């Protein structure tokens, strides 16, 4: 109630941006300045202007390889608002990337005060969705 939407950022790798733009257009949002499509590569600060501004980051079907978990979580942490920012992260467990999923959950628990799996209501049971909240700021050691 009373939520004012300021920005919806749809991101992916460059080869997939046209598909995202097409989806935006098909939903009648191509002329809405609040909807932006941009390339974001995990672990890079290409869109530093978004740093610390996002109330919600949705990472859908992003966990496939364990070595990419930390860059993904770094990127989520970069864009989330420091106080109160949340992330919804999902993966399809039927794909079978068990080690990557376990690594993601372990690293997410280290980075967030709360990592809760949402109940499998109105979705396939092998699709797992986690709510991440309470981002812990990690300070690099000198």
């Amino acid at each position: 109630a009373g939520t004012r939407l300021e920005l919806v950022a749809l991101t992916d790798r460059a080869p997939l941006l046209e598909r995202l733009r097409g989806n935006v257009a098909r939903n009648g949002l191509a002329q809405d300045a609040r909807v932006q499509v941009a390339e974001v590569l995990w672990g890079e600060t290409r869109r530093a202007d978004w740093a610390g501004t996002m109330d919600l980051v949705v990472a859908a079907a992003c966990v496939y390889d364990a070595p990419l978990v930390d860059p993904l979580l770094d990127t989520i942490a970069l864009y989330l608002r420091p106080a109160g920012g949340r992330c919804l992260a999902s993966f399809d467990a039927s794909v079978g990337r068990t080690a990557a999923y376990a690594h993601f959950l372990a690293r997410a628990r280290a980075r967030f005060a709360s990592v809760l799996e949402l109940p499998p209501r109105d979705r396939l049971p092998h699709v797992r969705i986690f709510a991440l909240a309470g981002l812990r700021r990690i300070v690099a050691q000198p």
Side-chain angles (χ1 to χ4, degrees), residues 34-112:
R34 297 173 302 176
V35 179
Q36 296 181 26
V37 174
E39 181 179 34
V40 168
L41 300 176
W42 300 341
E44 292 186 5
T45 58
R46 187 175 306 230
R47 290 303 310 246
D49 56 315
W50 291 348
T53 65
M54 304 290 176
D55 292 317
L56 176 67
V57 170
V58 178
C62 291
V63 179
Y64 292 101
D65 297 306
L68 296 176
V69 164
D70 284 323
L72 171 61
L73 289 171
D74 289 346
T75 301
I76 291 168
L78 172 68
Y79 294 124
L80 278 181
R81 188 168 41 87
R86 298 179 181 272
C87 175
L88 290 176
S90 71
F91 55 79
D92 183 344
S94 70
V95 175
R97 302 293 182 114
T98 308
Y101 307 148
H103 186 63
F104 173 80
L105 291 173
R107 298 299 294 148
R109 288 184 178 107
R111 298 291 296 266
F112 290 87

Side-chain angles (χ1 to χ4, degrees), residues 106-129:
R107 298 299 294 148
R109 288 184 178 107
R111 298 291 296 266
F112 290 87
S114 173
V115 177
L116 299 173
E117 184 166 10
L118 302 181
R121 185 179 39 193
D122 299 327
R123 64 180 156 90
L124 298 171
H126 52 83
V127 175
R128 299 180 67 190
I129 302 174

